[in-house]
Amino acid sequence: MIEVALFGAGRIGKIHAGNVAAQPGVKLKYVVDVSAPAAAELAQRYAARPVDAEAALKDSAVAAVVIASSTDTHADLITRAAAAGKAIFCEKPVDLALERARACVEAVAKARVLCMIGFQRRFDPTFSALKQRLDAGEIGNPEMLIITSRDPGPPPVGYIKVSGGIFKDMLIHDFDVFRWVLEDEAHSIFATGSCLVDPAIGEAGDVDSTAVSIRTRGGRLCQINTSRRASYGYDQRFEVLGSKGLLQARNHTPTQVVAQSAAGVCEDKPEHFFLERYRSAYASEMSHFFDALTERKPVRTSLEDGVKALELAEAATRSWREGRAVTL
Ligand SMILES: NC(=O)c1ccc[n+]([C@@H]2O[C@H](COP(=O)([O-])OP(=O)(O)OC[C@H]3O[C@@H](n4cnc5c(N)ncnc54)[C@H](O)[C@@H]3O)[C@@H](O)[C@H]2O)c1
C-alpha cells in the first residue's frame, strides 16, 4: 500500500484527494492545510487524518506527496518532500520565480525522487488522441499551432494579485501544450495583452486578454489567444496545420444533443470550467503518477517541463511589459 500526504484542501486539492483515494493500492493518509476546517473536512471524507506539514513529511511510511496548495508554497514543499525521500506530484506552476523553480530541479535530482507537474491537458482524451494521430504522421510535418484558451469568467482580483500574472497563472498550460504538441522549443516570443474584461485586473498590474506569437527553433509558428472571459463557457481548443492536413481538438459539451428548428440550430455550450472539462484528465494524470512510481518509469510531465513552461511565461511577461519580441 502506497501511503500519501496531500497538501492543500482547496478547489484542486479536493479533486486530487478523490483521485488519490480511487487508486488501487494507494491510501490517502494525511491532509495538510493551513485552514484547519478545510483539512479536517476533506480528511474526514476519505478516512484520512488532518496533520501539519512537519508530521506528514516526518512519517517514513508516506511514500508520496501531492502538492495542491497555493502556488507560493510549492517550491518549499517540493524541496522538503524531496529531502524526506518522497515521490512528488505538484500542481503548476512550480513557482513564480525561475531561480526557485530551478533550485527545485537540483533538490529533486539530488534526492533522486520522482517528481511530476500537474499539466493535465496532456492527459485530456481529445488532446492526447490528436497528439497520437499527429505522431502517427496523419498530417505530415506540423507547421503551425493555434491555441484558444478562454476562461468563462475572471477570478476575484484578490487571486489575480497573488497569481504571478496571466502568463504564469493561465498561459503556463498553453506553453506546455505548445512544447508537447510541436516537440520543439521557442526561439522567440512576442506577447501583447489588454484589459478588456475587468479594469480592476489592470489596476492590479495585470491583463485579462492576450495574443502571443512564438517562432520555434525549427521555424514552426504558434499563436496563443486567451481571455479571462468567454460568455459561452470554457473555450479550450487547438488546431495543428501540417504539410498534409489539419487536426483540430474541439470543445467538450455536457451532452451531444442538437436541437434544430425554424429558429436555428442549438447545441450545448462547452463544459463550464476546468473542474468539468478536465475531470477525466485529472484522474488519468494521477493514475499515471502512481503507475510511474510503482513501475519506476519516467513521467509524461516532468519537473523540467514545469521549468521550461515557466521560462516561456517569464519571457512572455517581459515581452508584454517591454513591447518587443524576446529571444530565448
Ligand atoms: N492544473 C490545473 O488545472 C489547476 C487548476 C486550479 C489550480 N491549480 C493550481 O493548484 C494550486 C491551488 O489552487 P486552488 O485553485 O485549489 O486554490 P485554493 O485557494 O482553492 O486552495 C489552496 C489551498 O491551499 C491552502 N494552503 C495555503 N498555504 C498552505 C500551506 N502552507 N500548506 C498547506 N495548505 C496551504 C489554502 O488554505 C487553500 O485551502 C495553485 O498552485 C494553482 O495554480 C491548478
Side-chain angles (χ1 to χ4, degrees):
M1 186 64 78
I2 300 174
E3 297 190 341
V4 177
L6 168 73
F7 294 80
R11 291 186 305 174
I12 203 74
K14 290 189 180 107
I15 298 288
H16 290 326
N19 289 331
V20 167
Q23 303 299 316
V26 176
K27 178 180 164 38
L28 180 62
K29 187 172 193 180
Y30 299 126
V31 176
V32 182
D33 197 299
V34 287
S35 159
E41 198 202 328
L42 191 59
Q44 197 206 5
R45 206 179 301 167
Y46 296 102
R49 276 176 53 203
V51 293
D52 64 19
E54 207 179 315
L57 292 172
K58 210 170 58 188
D59 184 344
S60 58
V62 168
V65 299
V66 172
I67 303 171
S69 41
S70 321
T71 297
D72 60 352
T73 65
H74 294 182
D76 175 56
L77 288 171
I78 288 175
T79 311
R80 288 166 68 193
K86 319 290 188 202
I88 302 160
F89 175 96
C90 182
E91 262 309 332
K92 50 56 63 172
V94 180
D95 194 82
L96 295 179
L98 262 175
E99 320 81 68
R100 277 201 299 269
R102 288 185 181 133
C104 288
V105 175
E106 277 176 37
V108 162
K110 189 171 160 215
R112 294 170 175 263
V113 292
L114 187 73
C115 184
M116 174 168 166
I117 298 298
F119 285 134
Q120 83 283 353
R121 292 188 193 178
R122 296 198 194 196
F123 296 86
D124 174 73
T126 300
F127 292 175
S128 47
L130 185 155
K131 176 72 163 97
Q132 275 171 21
R133 292 171 68 162
L134 182 66
D135 290 349
E138 197 170 320
I139 59 161
N141 179 36
E143 294 167 349
M144 290 183 77
L145 169 65
I146 296 169
I147 303 175
T148 295
S149 186
R150 302 178 187 137
D151 288 353
V157 172
Y159 176 90
I160 297 280
K161 285 181 181 158
V162 295
S163 69
I166 195 167
F167 298 105
K168 289 181 184 172
D169 179 53
M170 190 171 160
L171 281 90
I172 194 105
H173 280 295
D174 305 298
F175 293 135
D176 182 63
V177 167
F178 151 74
R179 293 187 58 251
W180 172 57
V181 170
L182 291 184
E183 291 185 20
D184 203 346
E185 298 294 346
H187 171 263
S188 62
I189 186 164
F190 182 59
T192 54
S194 258
C195 225
L196 304 173
V197 176
D198 185 354
I201 293 177
E203 282 155 25
D206 201 1
V207 287
D208 51 40
S209 313
T210 75
V212 177
S213 297
I214 301 174
R215 187 174 194 280
T216 70
R217 290 181 194 159
R220 297 187 173 93
L221 301 174
C222 171
Q223 288 181 327
I224 304 171
N225 73 89
T226 66
S227 173
R228 290 277 193 191
R229 178 195 55 206
S231 56
Y232 49 87
Y234 192 38
D235 194 358
Q236 298 285 288
R237 293 171 284 138
F238 68 80
E239 65 178 45
V240 192
L241 175 67
S243 50
K244 292 186 196 159
L246 178 78
L247 285 170
Q248 291 182 311
R250 292 186 175 155
N251 282 318
H252 289 186
T253 51
T255 79
Q256 306 302 311
V257 177
V258 181
Q260 309 202 26
S261 72
V265 178
C266 187
E267 56 188 294
D268 289 358
K269 294 192 295 186
E271 285 178 315
H272 175 64
F273 207 2
F274 61 91
L275 296 178
E276 293 85 11
R277 172 66 172 85
Y278 292 120
R279 180 176 284 116
S280 72
Y282 293 129
S284 300
E285 70 177 354
M286 205 49 79
S287 299
H288 175 82
F289 173 66
F290 287 106
D291 287 349
L293 181 60
T294 46
E295 293 165 27
R296 295 173 185 277
K297 288 199 303 211
V299 286
R300 195 182 300 171
T301 51
S302 66
L303 181 55
E304 287 76 7
D305 290 321
V307 174
K308 288 275 184 196
L310 191 61
E311 283 171 0
L312 281 166
E314 186 109 344
T317 308
R318 194 143 45 92
S319 170
W320 159 62
R321 284 215 178 100
E322 297 175 9
R324 62 176 184 92
V326 167
T327 304
L328 286 107

